[in-house]
Amino acid sequence: MNIPALRAFVCAARESSFSRAADQLHLTQPGLSKRIAGLEDSLRVQLFDRIGRRTVLTEAGRTFLPFALRILNEADQAGQALKALQPAQTGRLYLATTQHIGLYYLKPLLGEFVRHYPGIDIEVDFKTSVESHRLLSAGEMELGFMSEPPLHEQSLEYIPVLDERLCFAVSANHVLALQPEVTLHDLTLHPALLPGPNTRFRRLIENLFSEQGLALDVRQPSNYLEALRMLAETGLGWSALPLVMITPELVRLPLQPYEPSRTIMLAYHRKVSLSGPARLFLDWVREHGLTQPEPTPD
């Protein structure tokens, strides 16, 4: 058996015609017939019957077909794995990231990578950390940036790339901004603008207050931090936002000892053979990491 002969057999079985199979494989009909005849000789069985103009599988052919398909699939996977071992500076890189990470941290990293590897076509897909985690776990994605994942899967490898500090902030006109000193208890007296309870961000803040025996008056307008920032800027309440998102319209409250942080990670599946572009990008991130931009100056 050899791969070209197996492909000829599978194509002829699918098309029920040697002539159509030969056209699809860009072979002459005698050339395709020769490959199949050689396969039949090696197996010592007849794989096809000719009935008029139709070519149909024999019982032996029907039995052998699923095995041939599996062999070809294994051969294709082997070829892809070997190809992935070669340094690939061309091809497609499919990268998932949260909107927040993409907007605030990825631009300089991607810009430098594109300049060094112009032959790689990068497709960036904005997904939540939960979505990326699910797709990576299912082997449907190569690389994904996320904030700390909902849970650590043993099948995934997590590379910490940035510790992101979260700050307590209010509008410059908010009453908390006018106080010379602020405590966590003071924050509980005002509405908190936070993401939904199913997010790690929300649990991180709630745990901080729970450890102090404090309860929050949480308003849940959006899971998007940009929307929370806008609402905080209007004075509707206080929020916890990454340092990079503190704008001139906001005041960072003097609660630095209590400011939590979360880890931004790049994840991939340990058992998925990464493509050449993906391995290049992974090495690039390991070497350069993400950088924390300066917050907008007052």
Side-chain angles (χ1 to χ4, degrees):
M1 288 185 288
N2 58 62
I3 299 301
L6 289 173
R7 293 196 192 282
F9 164 68
V10 168
C11 192
R14 183 176 60 243
E15 297 295 329
S16 297
S17 167
F18 277 26
S19 61
R20 288 197 298 270
D23 288 340
Q24 287 212 6
L25 296 174
H26 306 290
L27 296 171
T28 63
Q29 187 169 334
L32 181 126
S33 298
K34 184 177 180 180
R35 290 185 182 184
I36 292 176
L39 182 61
E40 290 176 324
D41 288 343
S42 68
L43 295 172
R44 298 181 183 178
V45 295
Q46 183 176 338
L47 298 172
F48 291 98
D49 282 328
R50 288 185 178 275
I51 304 175
R53 294 185 176 181
R54 295 177 60 239
T55 301
V56 297
L57 288 169
T58 63
E59 182 181 3
R62 291 192 297 272
T63 301
F64 180 61
L65 181 59
F67 292 96
L69 289 169
R70 284 200 291 271
I71 292 169
L72 290 176
N73 182 58
E74 291 289 336
D76 288 340
Q77 290 186 19
Q80 291 173 10
L82 292 174
K83 184 178 179 181
L85 294 176
Q86 306 303 315
Q89 297 190 13
T90 60
R92 178 177 292 274
L93 171 62
Y94 174 58
L95 181 67
T97 180
T98 66
Q99 186 183 60
H100 173 70
I101 296 171
L103 291 177
Y104 291 97
Y105 301 116
L106 274 189
K107 181 179 176 180
L109 183 78
L110 281 180
E112 284 299 313
F113 184 78
V114 168
R115 279 190 284 275
H116 278 76
Y117 301 106
I120 295 179
D121 183 16
I122 301 178
E123 180 180 346
V124 179
D125 196 356
F126 289 94
K127 295 186 178 296
T128 65
S129 292
V130 173
E131 289 173 331
S132 293
H133 198 261
R134 177 179 59 81
L135 291 171
L136 285 166
S137 299
E140 298 177 15
M141 178 192 301
E142 287 192 294
L143 298 172
F145 282 101
M146 61 184 72
S147 55
E148 291 186 60
L151 50 90
H152 283 255
E153 290 281 355
Q154 291 186 350
S155 61
L156 299 185
E157 184 74 25
Y158 303 93
I159 302 174
V161 291
L162 182 70
D163 286 326
E164 184 178 55
R165 177 178 286 271
L166 305 179
C167 307
F168 298 102
V170 294
S171 164
N173 298 320
H174 194 281
V175 62
L176 287 172
L178 306 177
Q179 294 181 198
E181 295 183 1
V182 178
T183 65
L184 290 181
H185 179 267
D186 292 332
L187 266 61
T188 65
L189 305 178
H190 301 273
L193 305 173
L194 297 173
N198 62 330
T199 62
R200 182 173 176 80
F201 192 113
R202 168 77 167 269
R203 293 194 296 271
L204 192 63
I205 301 302
E206 285 185 329
N207 289 342
L208 173 67
F209 281 81
S210 178
E211 290 169 359
Q212 304 295 321
L214 301 172
L216 294 172
D217 175 16
V218 178
R219 310 294 166 87
Q220 186 187 324
S222 176
N223 278 352
Y224 292 101
L225 297 183
E226 287 71 21
L228 295 177
R229 179 180 65 183
M230 182 274 291
L231 293 170
E233 289 173 345
T234 64
L236 293 179
W238 62 268
S239 188
L241 297 169
L243 179 62
V244 70
M245 294 183 67
I246 304 301
T247 65
E249 289 79 17
L250 291 174
V251 171
R252 179 182 179 184
L253 295 175
L255 290 166
Q256 282 82 350
Y258 298 101
E259 290 176 342
S261 63
R262 62 177 184 171
T263 303
I264 292 175
M265 300 179 174
L266 179 62
Y268 63 93
H269 201 294
R270 289 191 176 99
K271 294 185 178 180
V272 171
S273 297
L274 297 179
S275 65
R279 288 192 298 111
L280 280 176
F281 186 76
L282 190 61
D283 291 341
W284 186 268
V285 172
R286 282 184 170 130
E287 181 180 353
H288 297 87
L290 296 180
T291 57
Q292 177 99 30
E294 292 297 325
T296 304
D298 295 334

